[in-house]
Amino acid sequence: MSKKSITRSMCDVFGERTLPSEQDLEDFWQLINGRGGTRVFHKLIRYMNERITHRER
């Protein structure tokens, strides 16, 4: 994951009228990238699979 892809994804999540500030985007990147986080980021978002599995609830 690159900083550019994280920025694009975060802007998609927030929506057009609630875009995060440049500082917010930098903070997100630092949190994700710190201590090798990009190597394990896919493990942190496993809730996406759980949402699909349990979407009927």
Side-chain angles (χ1 to χ4, degrees):
M1 302 203 100
S2 68
K3 185 175 181 179
K4 185 176 180 177
S5 67
I6 294 294
T7 296
R8 186 174 43 246
S9 295
M10 295 307 271
C11 287
D12 287 345
V13 168
F14 276 78
E16 195 173 298
R17 296 187 310 193
T18 59
L19 290 175
S21 69
E22 289 298 320
Q23 184 61 55
D24 290 337
L25 293 169
E26 180 63 28
D27 291 345
F28 290 137
W29 173 247
Q30 291 301 320
L31 288 168
I32 292 166
N33 195 45
R35 298 171 59 188
T38 54
R39 291 191 313 262
V40 296
F41 190 66
H42 66 283
K43 294 179 180 180
L44 300 174
I45 59 169
R46 57 183 282 207
Y47 76 91
M48 293 301 290
N49 289 334
E50 292 172 1
R51 286 184 63 193
I52 292 168
T53 301
H54 302 290
R55 69 177 148 220
E56 298 300 320
R57 285 198 289 179

